Structures are given as structure tokens and as C-alpha cells.
Amino acid sequence: MNKIKLTCEELIKRKDALIEGKKTPKTKDLYIESLDAVITIKQPDRDTVSDTQAIDNGGLSDRYLVYECCLTPNLKDSQLQSAYGCAEPDEIVDKIFELGEIGKIAAQCTELAGAGNKVEEIKN
């Protein structure tokens, strides 16, 4: 494995590309079997990840993450929430998706945030 050692000079060279790459969140289309349809999710921002980590209950944190990251359909649409009788805005996630799907969608959101990126020790 022939990897370069990252230096300040290298980071300065890459600055524009790194900053530009973070301006536009990554997106991904996911097929949801129970709906027989495709949704589009986006990469969560730092505030969303922080808010999600602050939620104690794992199921509620996944629900919140899916609610925040689902671009289409727009789960934040008040007419949609009203049509499904949601008491809380993010309750729409439970009304639309199967329980097992919520965790899988949330995992895809965190992968877009870099959770699947390799970070490993290099042994000399």
C-alpha cells in the first residue's frame, strides 16, 4: 500500500476541491420494497448528525435522521403529515416506512456522511 503522508502543503493544494465537495450534499436513490418506489436521500449535515446522536432512543434517532435526510418525497410537507394524521412531524416516517426499512435508510444516510469510509492504521 503506497499512500502519501498528508501535509499542510498538500491540504492547501486540495483546499478548493475539499471545500467545493462539501458545499453540495451527496444524494442517493433507494428502492423501498414495501412502497415499490424509489426515494431520494441526502447526506446529513453536521447539525443533523449531532442532533441525531443526542437522541437516546435508537429507533427515534433513526426516525429523525430519515425525516431530515429524505428529499423526495418531502416528508416535511405539512399536507402529507396532516393526511397521515401525524401528531409529531417526524412521525410520518413510521407511517410510511416499515420498521426494518427505517434503520436501513438511516444507515444509508450515515454512509453518505462518510461512515463507510476507510480509516485504518498503517503499519510500518
Side-chain angles (χ1 to χ4, degrees):
M1 175 179 333
N2 203 5
K3 304 288 180 187
I4 66 162
K5 191 85 138 179
L6 190 60
T7 64
C8 291
E9 291 79 16
E10 186 63 30
L11 280 172
I12 291 168
K13 284 182 197 174
R14 296 181 187 187
K15 177 186 147 230
D16 291 338
L18 288 171
I19 290 173
E20 192 60 36
K22 291 183 181 189
K23 282 184 182 176
T24 305
K26 298 172 196 154
T27 62
K28 184 185 283 190
D29 290 335
L30 302 175
Y31 173 74
I32 308 300
E33 185 175 8
S34 69
L35 301 172
D36 192 26
V38 174
I39 66 168
T40 302
I41 59 168
K42 68 174 182 166
Q43 172 184 5
D45 60 25
R46 288 183 188 276
D47 289 339
T48 300
V49 171
S50 180
D51 291 346
T52 301
Q53 291 173 338
I55 298 172
D56 287 338
N57 181 316
L60 291 178
S61 63
D62 284 351
R63 180 172 95 175
Y64 175 77
L65 187 59
V66 171
Y67 175 75
E68 288 295 325
C69 293
C70 191
L71 288 176
T72 54
N74 178 9
L75 301 182
K76 296 179 181 180
D77 184 277
S78 59
Q79 287 181 312
L80 177 66
Q81 295 169 8
S82 178
Y84 277 82
C86 297
E88 296 294 324
D90 66 347
E91 191 179 307
I92 191 68
V93 173
D94 290 332
K95 303 268 185 177
I96 294 176
F97 302 108
E98 297 291 334
L99 182 60
E101 292 169 340
I102 296 169
K104 290 177 182 178
I105 297 166
Q108 292 290 319
C109 295
T110 57
E111 278 192 32
L112 285 174
N117 292 358
K118 277 189 171 184
V119 176
E120 58 189 52
E121 178 182 359
I122 302 295
K123 298 187 182 201
N124 294 332

